[in-house]
Amino acid sequence: MPFYLGAFLAVALEWRAQARNAVLQAQTLQALETRVTALEEEKKTLGCQNEAYQTSLKQAQESKAEAEGQLAEALELQTDFYAREVALKVQVTSLQNIVEAYEKVQKDLKARCCEETGAMERMEGEMASQTQAMDLLRADYDKLQIEVNRLRVEKEALEKQVASGDTIIGELEKDKKTLIQEMAGTFEEGFQEALAQAVCTNPGIDISSCDSTHHIVDGKVVPL
């Protein structure tokens, strides 16, 4: 697999994972918002209960005998309400902080998605350019392959011609050697005939040192 395809797949997989994380975070944010809404409704309900408790307290003050028990109960309920209200405020504040953090993360993810989308578009443009370059190289390669095939055919024809020439040269070398041997034999026969004529013409002459391996230097017969 080419390098640019591997890089493109890696970026696409990373982008898909980040998009999936963004969806999960959006779902979590929606669930948190639902939870905040439910807590606010509960807070309103507790407010209504507090009003009822205040009314009960007023009624208890009108009747002192009943007021003491009801007052103690109301104070206990009110204390519990205040405690629950404080806890709810803490939860609401914590959830608001979480929502703000998730919104910030979601913005960052959107910005990264935009950047990666731009990078993917640039990569696609580079891939298109590389594909065009590859098409041009493939066309040049096909032309070169045709030229190589033509040159191979010419080479084979030349090799056949060279082989034929080598055969002819071998035959000529054989003929040359045969001719040289024949000429050497003829020269030796002529030389021996000349020696025989010299002996016949000059009886008693010493020709023991006269052969084709000697020549005359300064009036003397010496080896070649």
Side-chain angles (χ1 to χ4, degrees):
M1 178 181 290
F3 170 76
Y4 60 84
L5 290 178
F8 176 76
L9 290 176
V11 171
L13 291 174
E14 183 180 1
W15 181 81
R16 187 180 66 180
Q18 291 179 355
R20 185 180 298 170
N21 291 333
V23 172
L24 292 175
Q25 289 177 356
Q27 292 177 353
T28 304
L29 179 62
Q30 185 177 3
L32 290 173
E33 290 176 351
T34 303
R35 177 62 178 167
V36 169
T37 302
L39 290 174
E40 290 177 352
E41 292 294 330
E42 187 176 359
K43 181 179 178 182
K44 291 179 181 179
T45 303
L46 291 174
C48 294
Q49 291 179 358
N50 186 33
E51 292 176 359
Y53 295 150
Q54 293 294 336
T55 302
S56 298
L57 182 61
K58 290 179 181 179
Q59 292 176 356
Q61 289 176 351
E62 294 175 357
S63 178
K64 186 176 180 181
E66 297 177 357
E68 292 181 354
Q70 292 178 356
L71 180 60
E73 182 179 358
L75 289 173
E76 183 178 358
L77 291 173
Q78 189 175 16
T79 301
D80 181 64
F81 166 76
Y82 283 134
R84 293 181 65 185
E85 185 178 12
V86 171
L88 288 173
K89 287 181 179 179
V90 172
Q91 291 182 2
V92 169
T93 302
S94 177
L95 289 174
Q96 288 177 348
N97 293 331
I98 293 173
V99 169
E100 291 176 356
Y102 273 108
E103 288 177 350
K104 183 178 180 181
V105 170
Q106 191 173 11
K107 290 180 180 179
D108 294 338
L109 287 174
K110 288 181 179 179
R112 291 187 63 184
C113 288
C114 292
E115 292 177 357
E116 291 180 357
T117 301
M120 289 179 64
E121 291 176 354
R122 290 191 297 271
M123 186 176 293
E124 289 176 353
E126 292 177 357
M127 287 178 62
S129 299
Q130 291 179 359
T131 301
Q132 293 177 356
M134 287 181 65
D135 292 337
L136 294 175
L137 289 174
R138 188 176 292 109
D140 293 339
Y141 174 79
D142 293 338
K143 293 179 181 178
L144 289 174
Q145 191 66 32
I146 294 172
E147 183 66 17
V148 167
N149 293 331
R150 186 183 66 79
L151 292 175
R152 184 179 293 111
V153 172
E154 292 181 356
K155 178 184 176 183
E156 292 175 354
L158 290 174
E159 287 177 348
K160 290 180 180 179
Q161 292 179 2
V162 170
S164 177
D166 290 339
T167 302
I168 295 172
I169 290 171
E171 293 176 354
L172 291 175
E173 287 291 337
K174 291 180 180 179
D175 294 340
K176 178 181 176 182
K177 289 180 181 179
T178 302
L179 182 59
I180 290 171
Q181 290 176 357
E182 291 177 354
M183 290 176 66
T186 302
F187 173 76
E188 184 65 25
E189 290 178 358
F191 185 76
Q192 293 298 328
E193 180 66 24
L195 288 178
Q197 292 177 9
V199 171
C200 182
T201 305
N202 301 287
I205 190 173
D206 183 13
I207 61 172
S208 60
S209 60
C210 296
D211 57 27
S212 59
T213 61
H214 289 70
H215 65 157
I216 298 172
V217 178
D218 297 332
K220 296 180 180 180
V221 178
V222 295
L224 291 173

